[in-house]
Amino acid sequence: MEKFYLTTPIYYPNARPHVGSAYTTIVCDVVARYKRMCGYDVAFLTGTDEHGEKLERAAAEAGESPGEFVAEKRELFKSLWQTLGISEYRFVHTSQNPAHRSAVQWMIGRADKAGYIDKRKYEGRYCVFDEMYVSDGSDPVNCPNCGRPAELISEENYFFRLSAFEDRLLKHYEDHPEFVLPDFRMNEVKSFVRSGLRDISISRRRLKWGIPWPGDDEQVVYVWYDALTSYLSGIGFEGEKRSKDFEKFWPADLHMIGKDILRFHAVYWPAFLWAAGLELPKTIFAHGWIYYDQDKMSKSKGNVVYPEPIIKAFEESGAPGNDALRYYLLRDTPFGLDGSFSYEGLIQRYNSDLANGLGNLASRTLAMLQQFCDGAIPLPDNATRDEAASDASSVVVGGPQAFDSLDFSLVLTGLWMLMSRADKLIVNKKPWELAKSALPAGQESLKGTLYRTTETLRIACILLYPLLPSAAERLWKQLGEHGRVEDEVIDSRLHFRQIEPGTVVGKPEPIFPRLDRRAMLHRLRELADQDRAQEEKAAKGVSAKAGSPIPGPEPQIPNREPLASSPEPPKITIDDFAKVDLRAGTVLSAEPIPGATKLLKLQVDIGAEVRQICAGIAEYYQPEQLVGMKVVIVANLQPRKLRGVDSNGMVVAASLGEDGKPVLATFLEDVPNGARLK
Ligand code: ME8
């Protein structure tokens, strides 16, 4: 049996997991379920990243020892995975785990022996929130990742010679384009490495809460070296001692991560593995972030969304809460890009696609089978079977392909197109009228129509199972199928003509009851507020328990207000609009302009030429984020000089909040450079 090993990042258990943490785990659950249906032996690893300064401080603030604190918080993750029905996973935790400790110390020992580690004085800034070295200078600097102030560190540390891996990394990226996905993320990584790699500090002196450096009790291992090694120790790697599982499953087939931790995975991790003489993972997929109504979720803004109250609100109304949440997250956001969570959007998707779409097709079909076919699947003629097969051929082929490329919204759009065709068939053929017909042709047409819609539902169940497991299982039973969908094999049973005519179907029971939008919205908000109030109460209890917390840096996350309202602009004619030459282009390079802190100099390929454009986005975008990005430019703007640099065009962006944070306009689908927007 072929193996498939996939991992989520291991989460910092400094706080309760939210919809963002759940997103990565849900997506991995989808992939794990799909791969199992394809016949793979799947190892699915998740866990908690328990060392480091952030955890040490969080524990002190809670008045607990770090060990007690993380052990408690670890359970919150396991409990959420249970609530979310996450399937057969392995769980690794990094503290109080001798096997993991020995794996990390072995990795360090090997890198040291190979000459990649030496001791140097480190003077620079460190972001405790992201557990990341930020700069080698002593100038005050905010973390480029989270915006919080980075703290000054001055200590003697062990350094890893990352710079020695520059060429090897670039060659690996060229030879293995699937190493980092999506492609635009690979471009960011390449451009980061091409801009030159510096050696990195991989130990901390002041810190106690970590894995002791082998042979030096004064230092602990840098938390990212420790955390990344969990992908090995989580399947039985302890250094020299390795389990059969490890021999079978390593290298990982997929590390699923969020976009913010790409550099650690795509640059540091391969270098650490090479330094230890181990094989590299096959693919790192960096997905986008889930925002709340376009805004970053943050406790201080009170806009963090937790899954539990959502699931509760749906289940109170007899709807499968997990499936509703999974559907919304996977359908609304093309996987890989950023998405925005809103309660309105969640209910809207549920009602329109699940209740009115799938649920309605299922209950109509089953009711008609009961009413007109004695509750059994009819036997249609051959021509109908061929029609049915051609109806479904696109999803039968395209569904698995879309799963393989992790394009979950494409799987769903394909299925919903198939279902809407089945709906149209019902509307056109009007089975309730055919049932009255005394002619054999009328009866044949009735049988054919219901056979086709039932077969659509059966195929939908199989492809939907990884995405909406509980709804798919329930519908499967109602269709009279035996066993469980999860035991079906994708490929062999997706063909048509395998639904058995004569199968007795079950009683139609609504799988997705329609919900009253306003009442549901009210209930969702009410439960979220109650949940937040409970959490605050618990946190107050904790701070009373704490003696003198070690103050951490005050988070100064840039305040991202909802979309700014601006005065309504005057109406223009289509001819006015046609004067603006808007073109699609790809950013080939992006670099800062010395002395101009707000500007970046971009080279943008717009098909017929490459344009140099200065854009006032330097405070919000890192140059490496932009390389490879598809943007929209105004191509016929008068050229001008900005800070002495020629700028020929303008990049189009939405402007958010009072500080006018720019968000660049881009495309969901591939568009050739130079394509005109009109
Ligand atoms: O980074 N939307 O842990 P972490 C989508 N311990 N994804 C989100 C998100 C959001 N709103 N918020 C967080 C760490 N994430 C390290 C990982 S792996 C060896 C060590 C994602 O708990 C984030 O992108 O801060 C990351 O992939 C994951 O949650 C864990 O974040």
Side-chain angles (χ1 to χ4, degrees):
M1 201 187 223
E2 241 186 292
K3 67 91 186 177
F4 192 85
Y5 176 31
L6 83 163
T7 63
T8 72
I10 55 166
Y11 299 95
Y12 289 127
N14 59 324
R16 183 180 154 199
H18 51 69
V19 157
S21 338
Y23 184 58
T24 324
T25 304
I26 288 174
V27 166
C28 284
D29 182 57
V30 172
V31 179
R33 286 176 191 265
Y34 168 71
K35 287 287 176 185
R36 285 187 205 113
M37 286 179 101
C38 294
Y40 286 81
D41 185 2
V42 173
F44 167 16
L45 182 75
T46 183
T48 38
D49 182 359
E50 301 179 347
H51 284 132
E53 195 154 357
K54 171 150 122 172
L55 263 311
E56 194 180 65
R57 284 186 187 180
E61 276 169 35
E64 291 178 31
S65 73
E68 259 180 312
F69 179 79
V70 297
E72 235 170 67
K73 289 276 188 282
R74 186 190 299 154
E75 294 311 309
L76 295 180
F77 285 81
K78 292 187 181 166
S79 147
L80 178 60
W81 304 155
Q82 188 170 6
T83 307
L84 293 172
I86 301 302
S87 63
E88 278 176 70
Y89 62 87
R90 300 159 189 237
F91 195 96
V92 62
H93 60 94
T94 55
S95 77
Q96 300 142 308
N97 178 347
H100 174 74
R101 186 177 57 211
S102 109
V104 174
Q105 292 181 331
W106 184 90
M107 291 286 286
I108 296 281
R110 285 296 292 250
D112 192 19
K113 226 187 219 158
Y116 292 113
I117 293 180
D118 53 28
K119 208 170 185 182
R120 304 178 200 170
K121 172 114 175 125
Y122 178 78
E123 184 119 347
R125 303 250 157 204
Y126 189 80
C127 170
V128 175
F129 184 80
D130 282 315
E131 297 283 12
M132 174 170 134
Y133 295 91
V134 166
S135 82
D136 288 346
S138 59
D139 292 344
V141 103
N142 284 352
C143 170
N145 236 20
C146 68
R148 290 167 170 81
E151 294 175 40
L152 191 59
I153 294 183
S154 172
E155 50 184 44
E156 194 162 50
N157 290 153
Y158 291 96
F159 268 70
F160 180 81
R161 287 184 42 230
L162 187 64
S163 56
F165 291 91
E166 214 171 283
D167 293 341
R168 193 167 171 191
L169 281 166
L170 288 171
K171 178 160 186 337
H172 190 77
Y173 303 148
E174 283 310 321
D175 295 347
H176 301 274
E178 74 297 344
F179 184 63
V180 174
L181 292 175
D183 295 347
F184 70 96
R185 297 281 175 212
M186 174 61 113
N187 290 340
E188 283 171 33
V189 171
K190 281 183 187 166
S191 109
F192 173 74
V193 174
R194 276 196 207 110
S195 70
L197 290 180
R198 288 205 216 151
D199 297 342
I200 52 169
S201 165
I202 52 160
S203 73
R204 293 294 307 277
R205 190 144 188 259
R206 267 187 313 139
L207 195 67
K208 293 279 162 289
W209 184 236
I211 291 183
W213 188 271
D216 184 346
D217 288 346
E218 288 196 335
Q219 306 255 358
V220 296
V221 176
Y222 173 41
V223 65
W224 271 99
Y225 219 117
D226 169 348
L228 288 160
T229 304
S230 71
Y231 296 143
L232 305 172
S233 65
I235 47 166
F237 172 94
E238 296 180 43
E240 288 309 321
K241 191 170 153 207
R242 297 166 193 195
S243 68
K244 279 210 176 95
D245 257 8
F246 176 78
E247 301 297 352
K248 171 172 186 177
F249 285 107
W250 190 258
D253 296 273
L254 176 64
H255 287 320
M256 182 70 76
I257 58 166
K259 62 180 184 179
D260 56 319
I261 55 175
L262 180 57
R263 192 177 299 176
F264 299 104
H265 283 79
V267 182
Y268 294 9
W269 183 221
F272 297 164
L273 287 166
W274 277 328
L278 294 171
E279 270 186 84
L280 302 199
K282 295 190 183 135
T283 294
I284 296 156
F285 191 105
H287 63 66
W289 266 39
I290 302 293
Y291 292 88
Y292 177 77
D293 269 345
Q294 329 274 347
D295 199 4
K296 192 165 180 169
M297 287 188 213
S298 116
K299 259 194 167 171
S300 58
K301 288 185 213 158
N303 66 358
V304 182
V305 180
Y306 295 107
E308 296 91 338
I310 296 175
I311 291 165
K312 187 167 175 205
F314 275 90
E315 287 182 352
E316 279 175 357
S317 310
N322 267 324
D323 288 348
L325 179 63
R326 285 166 85 107
Y327 182 79
Y328 175 59
L329 292 174
L330 296 163
R331 171 67 183 81
D332 235 44
T333 301
F335 192 58
L337 304 182
D338 288 339
S340 183
F341 183 97
S342 75
Y343 289 113
E344 288 87 348
L346 171 67
I347 302 169
Q348 153 76 20
R349 275 278 173 213
Y350 173 86
N351 271 340
S352 71
D353 297 8
L354 295 180
N356 292 352
L358 171 59
N360 193 31
L361 179 67
S363 54
R364 282 170 100 189
T365 304
L366 288 162
M368 287 190 286
L369 285 171
Q370 295 290 355
Q371 215 180 334
F372 308 132
C373 304
D374 298 327
I377 293 168
L379 176 66
D381 59 26
N382 284 345
T384 307
R385 291 172 166 217
D386 288 343
E387 274 164 6
S390 93
D391 273 355
S393 58
S394 63
V395 293
V396 167
V397 177
Q401 275 170 1
F403 266 122
D404 286 334
S405 50
L406 306 179
D407 195 341
F408 310 111
S409 48
L410 187 63
V411 178
L412 292 168
T413 13
L415 279 172
W416 257 256
M417 266 162 60
L418 180 67
M419 289 192 279
S420 92
R421 251 183 276 144
D423 259 333
K424 277 204 189 100
L425 189 71
I426 296 178
V427 171
N428 292 339
K429 298 275 180 180
K430 301 188 179 59
W432 48 94
E433 288 185 3
L434 292 173
K436 293 182 209 149
S437 161
L439 298 173
Q443 290 304 315
E444 268 312 306
S445 180
L446 171 68
K447 285 196 254 169
T449 307
L450 292 181
Y451 176 86
R452 281 169 72 178
T453 48
T454 316
E455 187 60 333
T456 293
L457 287 168
R458 186 185 69 86
I459 287 184
C461 267
I462 299 176
L463 281 172
L464 271 180
Y465 167 78
L467 301 146
L468 310 182
S470 74
E473 290 293 3
R474 280 187 63 196
L475 182 55
W476 191 246
K477 278 216 169 59
Q478 292 189 26
L479 292 176
E481 291 284 333
H482 297 297
R484 296 175 60 79
V485 194
E486 74 174 335
D487 298 325
E488 291 300 310
V489 177
I490 282 194
D491 264 7
S492 73
R493 275 222 74 188
L494 272 185
H495 308 307
F496 257 82
R497 301 190 190 193
Q498 290 199 2
I499 195 163
E500 277 300 311
T503 303
V504 176
V505 297
K507 234 177 65 203
E509 279 165 18
I511 294 172
F512 299 110
R514 196 178 156 73
L515 302 174
D516 178 80
R517 192 187 72 84
R518 284 179 68 155
M520 189 63 186
L521 201 54
H522 175 77
R523 187 64 182 145
L524 277 166
R525 294 217 165 107
E526 188 175 55
L527 285 174
D529 287 346
Q530 279 174 15
D531 184 87
R532 200 168 300 127
Q534 245 171 25
E535 174 128 353
E536 272 163 23
K537 207 164 130 200
K540 278 200 189 109
V542 159
S543 58
K545 198 160 114 195
S548 54
I550 303 173
E554 266 300 296
Q556 289 183 359
I557 306 170
N559 194 18
R560 292 179 195 163
E561 292 302 326
L563 300 173
S565 58
S566 42
E568 201 178 323
K571 296 270 181 284
I572 58 166
T573 65
I574 190 74
D575 294 338
D576 292 332
F577 176 69
K579 287 183 198 151
V580 187
D581 186 18
L582 292 169
R583 300 277 172 173
T586 301
V587 180
L588 300 179
S589 71
E591 57 187 89
I593 299 177
T597 50
K598 296 192 174 163
L599 289 179
L600 285 179
K601 184 167 80 181
L602 312 179
Q603 304 297 336
V604 184
D605 180 351
I606 54 164
E609 59 181 307
V610 174
R611 286 288 182 92
Q612 176 166 299
I613 297 175
C614 297
I617 54 175
E619 290 171 306
Y620 300 92
Y621 285 89
Q622 297 295 313
E624 62 269 18
Q625 256 180 295
L626 296 165
V627 177
M629 188 170 174
K630 269 265 143 69
V631 290
V632 175
I633 71 154
V634 182
N636 60 340
L637 203 67
Q638 282 290 354
R640 61 183 187 137
K641 270 195 191 322
L642 291 169
R643 295 296 187 109
V645 180
D646 287 328
S647 181
N648 188 1
M650 187 181 93
V651 183
V652 177
S655 171
L656 305 189
E658 280 168 12
D659 56 354
K661 174 187 181 257
V663 176
L664 291 176
T666 186
F667 298 90
L668 291 182
E669 287 165 41
D670 202 21
V671 171
N673 292 334
R676 179 138 194 218
L677 282 85
K678 46 191 181 174

